[in-house]
Amino acid sequence: MRTEIGTEVRLSEYKPPEYTIDAVDLTFELDHEASVVRAKLTVRRPAGTPLNTPLFLDGDSLTLVSINVNGDLIDEENITISPTGLILRNLPDAETFIVETAVRLEPSANTQLMGLYATNGNFCTQCEAEGFRRITFFPDRPDILSVYNVRIEGDAKDVPLLLSNGNKVDHGALDGGRHFAVWHDPHPKPSYLFALFAGNLGMIEDTFKTMSGRDVRLEIYVEHGKEARAAYAMDALKRSMTWDEERFGREYDLDIFMIVAVSDFNMGAMENKGLNIFNDKYVLADPVTATDQDYANIEAIIAHEYFHNWTGNRITCRDWFQLCLKEGLTVYRDHEFSADMRSRPVKRIAEVRALRAHQFPEDAGPLAHPVRPKSYMEINNFYTATVYEKGSELVRMLSIILGATGFKAGMDLYFHRHDGDAATIEDFLACFSEATGTDLTQFTNWYHYAGTPNLAVETDYDANAKTFTADITQTVRSGVKQPGDGPRHIPVVFGLIGPDGEALDYTSVDGAEVKDGCLHVRDARQTVTFHGVEREPVLSALRGFSAPVTRIPSLPHDEAQLLARHDSDPFNRWDALNTLLLRALTDATKNGINGATGVSEMAALLETIAADETLEPAYRALCLTVPGEAEIAREIGTNIDPDAVHAARRGMIKVLANQCADVFNKVYTATKPDVPFSPDAAQAGSRALRGVLLGYLAYRPDGLALAQDAYGAADNMTDRIGALTALVHANPDAQATLDALADFQNRFRREPVVLDKWLSLQATVPRHETLDSVRQLTRSQHFSWDNPNRVRALLGAFATGNPVAFNRADGEAYRFFCDAVARLDAKNPQVAARLMTAMRSWRELEPGRRERAKGALQALTSKRMSRDLSDIVSRTLDVA
Ligand code: TRP
Ligand code: ZN
């Protein structure tokens, strides 16, 4: 395999830095083709570092123009320039000395979007994780914290706006129509949090008074003319700031907080100190262009990046193995924020659906890794669902195990003790353990080992003795079993439910520690006995999804039925229903829809829920959502035939639509809104319910007209794209569908972010010919290989959202996709590598497809690949 150079980095080989950098003075002379970056580093040699120790400065794709140490030129023999950086020897015999460099860069040629790059004629940076070394020579590691002073010079007309971290301390005019600004950030920070933006944008501003009474200026920068679309993001920002004060006691620490929206960005957003840079799709929203999901994403991501100011920036990571220290914790914080802003149970269900859809398969496949990995080839490939989402679940479990008070005490100690530090997971856990006097040794297994534990629960009731026993076995699936991995501490929040849905009590329990409604599983096998149980109960376990585990076997049918009707825990009620649906769907995949059992019973249950006005509409919408094809495939596990899965699911939707037609129609009509649009959670919930119902009703004989009407009547993007999706899925060839698609394209032809929805929708039409439309769309004026949003909207949606077409039996789509990823890799390795993870589950396919998928992957290995892509491809192909 021909790949770029690279070696594996191991946690066990971590060494503290030999030199640190107290201060960084940067000067940017901006030019699209040839920018010059001058850096003056104040280098410190700590007491333990021997005099003759060389200084290594990372550098990637930099052209060195000049270098000196304490003002003196360096002799040839004292400098080595390699593809990964500079080595300097024979340094001054002093505690601190100055290294000055000048380098030349070409921002307009930077297609990786890491380092300093051009986007729509503006200049922008992205440094996490290792992008700063593409800007200047520097020890680019997160445990080196420095104070930054940044001078930016650029053309006054081209780039009127010159932004960096911290406070603007100077600005003025220069000769030749140029101008400058100087920014000073008083908070020492790691290089990955450096940011610069220079360009021409519009702005909205606001202020926020912090809990100690300081005024903070808030500025959000977006394309001219789109300022009004930034209002929701501003509102979300202010709510985030208030929430972090109230819930975590965390106050903002600079006089200004800026957000800049750019249209070319590798990920969602970046938490650079005082200057967050966002993918514009996570800033801009108005009713006409944004769905309710878009609004919710904006709220969550604005909060996430803002919360990083404490969890990530003030307390950062010692090394990249600790990534979950900031990401898992910050995801937990943004989840809690969204739960408080919206409906907690609805939010929780959405989180668990995402976890099961993305993290569980990652953890069960060739790309599985611990929440805190032990080694990596390319750190960019570890911004994963495991680090983020499972990382968040581990923090949530801590909060359950320690209780609200204990958790808060641990967090407070963490903020107090580690403010200003580059910390580790051990540091973090020690705070909880010390603040509460809890031994968390066993809990650390969750961080060190990959794989989703399984809980098998068998229960038995003895009516005479009035005892109820639960025999609980925990296992980690064999494929990912690692040496040293032992049983984990699994908090099982639970309730006992009687035959009429009533909560049942018990007098005492043995075999496990039980407190505050939580049963603490710690052993590989445990038998728990509840005494004094008056009637035969059903165990409602893992309420609120209290631990990220699977349950195989899943709930017995009658227990799932009871919980789906009566569980007072909304999460478990939904989960029981989902279990029943999945069971019927796997049955239908094996035996055909007519051979599936329990479908009428299912329909009756769904009707009841659809019409139950005591339940929030958003919750009803989730209950009525039929599990997706990928989820059904996962449930089946091996030898997947995606065509059979699709036929079963489609058949199920039609049967349910027919059996529930009256009720669904009635609720659909009754929930028609009569108030003006608002993006709030309540209205969004009603729209979600109507959308799900339309998704069913579209398959009815009068469905085409109904969806067509809905499209025509839509006054907001949620209804519009919902109706269009219903049209495309139920009647892809109808003239009305083609007309609606054309109307959508025409309406939003100047709005790339909106047309991404149009690209995605066409990429997910579930039939084999969709491959041809996707091929065609790559040549459309609305697509670009250079923009990550376009690529994800078309190719990402095709590979992850269209199992039928992507897994064509002839393997054509695998070949197309691998070629496309290789093409992309030449421009943007990070985005290419992430896209390729779509093929990680190839081993679960039936033998024919399995061979073709493997062949397409193997064909890549003879091509030149980036380190990012080759890392993913080789792990994906590796024997598990
Ligand atoms: N730290 C960012 C976040 O989670 C993630 C991120 C943004 C990122 N851009 C990136 C990670 C580029 C790697 C590369 O909020
Ligand atoms: Zn983050």
Side-chain angles (χ1 to χ4, degrees):
M1 196 181 304
R2 285 183 294 151
T3 60
E4 282 173 9
I5 34 131
T7 46
E8 197 172 47
V9 185
R10 293 187 192 86
L11 170 60
S12 59
E13 291 169 7
Y14 172 84
K15 282 196 204 66
E18 288 166 324
Y19 291 93
T20 59
I21 311 290
D22 291 351
V24 187
D25 285 296
L26 294 172
T27 300
F28 287 83
E29 296 164 12
L30 292 177
D31 179 274
H32 286 282
E33 277 72 45
S35 287
V36 173
V37 181
R38 299 179 195 283
K40 182 179 156 203
L41 312 181
T42 306
V43 184
R44 170 174 302 276
R45 180 190 286 114
T49 300
L51 248 188
N52 60 0
T53 308
L55 168 66
F56 180 72
L57 302 176
D58 294 290
D60 175 4
S61 314
L62 301 172
T63 305
L64 185 65
V65 177
S66 67
I67 178 163
N68 71 66
V69 175
N70 280 346
D72 299 328
L73 297 180
I74 309 176
D75 294 339
E76 292 258 323
E77 76 255 27
N78 289 332
I79 176 166
T80 307
I81 306 182
S82 82
T84 60
L86 288 182
I87 302 169
L88 306 180
R89 288 181 212 86
N90 267 326
L91 294 157
D93 178 5
E95 210 180 312
T96 65
F97 52 90
I98 305 292
V99 175
E100 285 180 284
T101 61
V103 299
R104 207 171 32 243
L105 316 170
E106 191 179 348
S108 61
N110 183 349
T111 57
Q112 295 186 26
L113 313 184
M114 288 294 266
L116 177 67
Y117 64 92
T119 164
N120 287 345
N122 299 320
F123 296 90
C124 170
T125 61
Q126 171 56 39
C127 293
E128 188 177 5
E130 298 180 332
F132 193 67
R133 64 187 65 184
R134 293 168 54 81
I135 295 176
T136 194
F137 286 103
F138 195 79
D140 192 10
R141 42 188 287 170
D143 55 355
I144 292 187
L145 309 186
S146 327
V147 172
Y148 284 67
N149 217 56
V150 180
R151 179 184 168 96
I152 313 169
E153 302 178 5
D155 186 273
K157 274 214 217 55
D158 246 20
V159 292
L161 201 59
L162 303 172
L163 309 178
S164 190
N165 319 84
N167 304 309
K168 186 151 84 171
V169 292
D170 196 9
H171 63 100
L174 296 169
D175 289 348
R178 291 174 74 82
H179 70 151
F180 77 95
V182 179
W183 291 80
H184 175 73
D185 180 0
H187 297 276
K189 64 169 175 288
S191 52
Y192 81 88
L193 290 175
F194 166 79
L196 170 151
F197 178 87
N200 191 351
L201 293 178
M203 188 256 281
I204 63 165
E205 60 188 306
D206 209 324
T207 58
F208 181 83
K209 199 179 266 310
T210 69
M211 62 199 213
S212 70
R214 283 188 308 101
D215 286 311
V216 180
R217 262 175 77 76
L218 309 177
E219 301 180 341
I220 301 184
Y221 292 90
V222 297
E223 256 174 53
H224 287 292
K226 295 193 173 164
E227 291 86 349
R229 290 194 203 173
Y232 185 77
M234 182 66 89
D235 180 57
L237 174 60
K238 289 191 285 179
R239 285 185 281 121
S240 305
M241 295 177 86
T242 303
W243 186 89
D244 210 17
E245 292 185 347
E246 291 175 352
R247 176 72 180 269
F248 283 91
R250 298 299 109 199
E251 188 178 9
Y252 187 62
D253 55 6
L254 283 165
D255 300 331
I256 180 165
F257 186 79
M258 296 172 283
I259 291 173
V260 178
V262 301
S263 46
D264 302 87
F265 203 67
N266 280 354
M267 309 265 278
M270 181 63 213
E271 70 263 24
N272 318 295
K273 185 79 188 188
L275 177 58
N276 289 359
I277 297 187
F278 269 63
N279 186 326
D280 60 1
K281 80 182 245 194
Y282 295 122
V283 174
L284 299 171
D286 66 19
V288 176
T289 56
T291 60
D292 292 317
Q293 187 58 56
D294 291 327
Y295 277 99
N297 290 343
I298 289 169
E299 180 178 78
I301 296 176
I302 291 271
H304 179 96
E305 305 310 333
Y306 173 73
F307 296 158
H308 267 315
N309 192 54
W310 272 94
T311 49
N313 301 3
R314 289 186 70 120
I315 307 180
T316 193
C317 301
R318 186 192 73 174
D319 53 70
W320 291 117
F321 296 103
Q322 320 296 329
L323 185 58
C324 64
L325 178 73
K326 74 177 178 81
E327 295 305 346
L329 178 53
T330 304
V331 169
Y332 171 74
R333 277 150 54 69
D334 86 57
H335 282 176
E336 282 297 291
F337 169 74
S338 294
D340 282 349
M341 294 298 123
R342 292 161 181 259
S343 157
R344 183 164 281 270
V346 167
K347 173 65 182 157
R348 188 64 187 141
I349 293 166
E351 286 161 16
V352 175
R353 287 185 64 191
L355 189 80
R356 287 175 175 163
H358 304 119
Q359 201 277 325
F360 280 19
E362 181 170 87
D363 229 348
L367 302 179
H369 54 274
V371 170
R372 189 177 69 182
K374 293 179 174 63
S375 69
Y376 58 76
M377 289 296 296
E378 170 52 63
I379 187 59
N380 282 340
N381 289 338
F382 283 80
Y383 288 77
T384 58
T386 296
V387 169
Y388 276 65
E389 315 301 328
K390 187 174 178 183
S392 163
E393 293 301 319
L394 304 197
V395 178
R396 181 174 299 280
M397 280 194 288
L398 268 181
S399 78
I400 294 169
I401 289 169
L402 303 175
T405 317
F407 181 72
K408 182 159 193 315
M411 283 303 304
D412 287 345
L413 180 58
Y414 177 65
F415 287 129
H416 176 74
R417 180 183 287 175
H418 292 292
D419 190 10
D421 287 353
T424 62
I425 284 298
E426 282 76 12
D427 293 332
F428 177 68
L429 291 174
C431 292
F432 291 94
S433 155
E434 286 178 37
T436 62
T438 310
D439 180 358
L440 292 172
T441 316
Q442 189 184 7
F443 188 77
T444 61
N445 282 351
W446 281 108
Y447 283 93
H448 300 327
Y449 300 103
T452 307
N454 184 60
L455 274 191
V457 184
E458 254 181 68
T459 60
D460 188 39
Y461 181 63
D462 182 334
N464 293 326
K466 298 202 185 318
T467 56
F468 177 64
T469 56
D471 197 358
I472 304 174
T473 312
Q474 63 160 303
T475 45
V476 177
R477 277 189 236 160
S478 51
V480 286
K481 178 98 182 140
Q482 302 124 96
D485 189 7
R488 313 218 181 144
H489 180 178
I490 301 177
V492 180
V493 176
F494 74 100
L496 302 184
I497 297 180
D500 301 317
E502 76 279 22
L504 290 181
D505 242 334
Y506 54 89
T507 49
S508 67
V509 54
D510 52 60
E513 181 196 356
V514 173
K515 71 170 195 270
D516 305 327
C518 181
L519 192 160
H520 294 264
V521 172
R522 292 171 181 276
D523 303 335
R525 183 151 178 208
Q526 238 163 306
T527 301
V528 186
T529 308
F530 296 88
H531 299 277
V533 182
E534 291 298 329
R535 303 178 70 187
E536 173 161 17
V538 167
L539 177 66
S540 167
L542 296 163
R543 284 183 156 180
F545 203 65
S546 59
V549 299
T550 51
R551 274 193 74 178
I552 304 169
S554 51
L555 282 176
H557 188 79
D558 51 335
E559 295 189 18
Q561 276 285 340
L562 186 99
L563 297 186
R565 284 173 203 285
H566 295 302
D567 202 324
S568 59
D569 180 70
F571 175 84
N572 270 12
R573 185 173 180 191
W574 166 81
D575 205 24
L577 196 62
N578 200 57
T579 300
L580 289 168
L581 271 168
L582 264 179
R583 194 166 296 155
L585 287 158
T586 50
D587 224 25
T589 306
K590 286 190 199 111
N591 309 319
I593 183 67
N594 297 322
T597 50
V599 178
S600 298
E601 207 182 10
M602 201 65 247
L605 200 49
L606 293 184
E607 273 187 344
T608 316
I609 287 176
D612 184 347
E613 294 189 357
T614 66
L615 300 171
E616 294 179 86
Y619 182 77
R620 283 187 268 161
L622 286 170
C623 290
L624 296 177
T625 302
V626 175
E629 289 166 30
E631 189 176 354
I632 303 165
R634 239 180 309 120
E635 187 70 15
I636 296 170
T638 51
N639 283 316
I640 308 297
D641 172 358
D643 289 331
V645 173
H646 174 70
R649 183 172 185 272
R650 198 180 173 90
M652 182 70 68
I653 293 175
K654 284 186 188 170
V655 170
L656 292 173
N658 289 332
Q659 295 202 11
C660 306
D662 289 348
V663 173
F664 283 5
N665 256 312
K666 219 176 103 208
V667 180
Y668 181 76
T669 313
T671 48
K672 195 171 158 46
D674 49 8
V675 286
F677 178 92
S678 148
D680 65 52
Q683 267 201 29
S686 301
R687 280 187 289 273
L689 178 56
R690 274 174 66 78
V692 173
L693 292 172
L694 181 60
Y696 282 104
L697 295 170
Y699 288 92
R700 300 267 305 148
D702 53 354
L704 185 64
L706 194 71
Q708 200 182 355
D709 287 352
Y711 185 85
D715 69 347
N716 63 79
M717 182 51 81
T718 304
D719 290 348
R720 184 174 300 286
I721 198 75
L724 192 56
T725 306
L727 282 168
V728 167
H729 280 233
N731 293 286
D733 299 314
Q735 191 55 44
T737 302
L738 302 176
D739 290 348
L741 273 170
D743 173 81
F744 193 97
Q745 178 186 9
N746 183 48
R747 226 175 246 270
F748 300 109
R749 63 187 181 279
R750 285 190 200 70
E751 306 267 11
V753 178
V754 184
L755 278 192
D756 283 347
K757 299 181 196 305
W758 176 85
L759 290 173
S760 294
L761 184 53
Q762 294 177 88
T764 51
V765 179
R767 52 178 173 179
H768 301 141
E769 302 75 41
T770 298
L771 173 60
D772 306 318
S773 7
V774 170
R775 228 190 267 278
Q776 289 251 310
L777 284 166
T778 59
R779 295 179 203 120
S780 133
Q781 49 163 326
H782 301 305
F783 181 79
S784 158
W785 291 94
D786 294 329
N787 182 285
N789 287 357
R790 296 308 86 75
V791 167
R792 285 185 285 252
L794 185 62
L795 302 174
F798 179 60
T800 60
N802 194 343
V804 163
F806 186 64
N807 299 291
R808 270 165 61 132
D810 62 6
E812 270 304 309
Y814 303 138
R815 285 190 284 276
F816 161 78
F817 181 71
C818 288
D819 285 348
V821 173
R823 174 175 180 169
L824 181 66
D825 188 45
K827 292 183 181 233
N828 191 328
Q830 193 183 356
V831 172
R834 175 163 290 247
L835 209 54
M836 185 48 84
T837 63
M839 288 191 69
R840 67 184 167 206
S841 299
W842 63 274
R843 280 186 187 78
E844 274 73 69
L845 295 162
E846 53 79 21
R849 287 171 169 92
R850 196 187 306 159
E851 279 312 303
R852 291 189 169 83
K854 184 180 180 184
L857 283 164
Q858 277 171 335
L860 276 178
T861 61
S862 60
K863 298 186 181 177
R864 193 192 165 283
M865 283 191 281
S866 67
R867 181 169 63 221
D868 307 56
L869 184 58
S870 76
D871 172 38
I872 296 292
V873 170
S874 59
R875 281 192 281 147
T876 302
L877 278 170
D878 255 6
V879 193

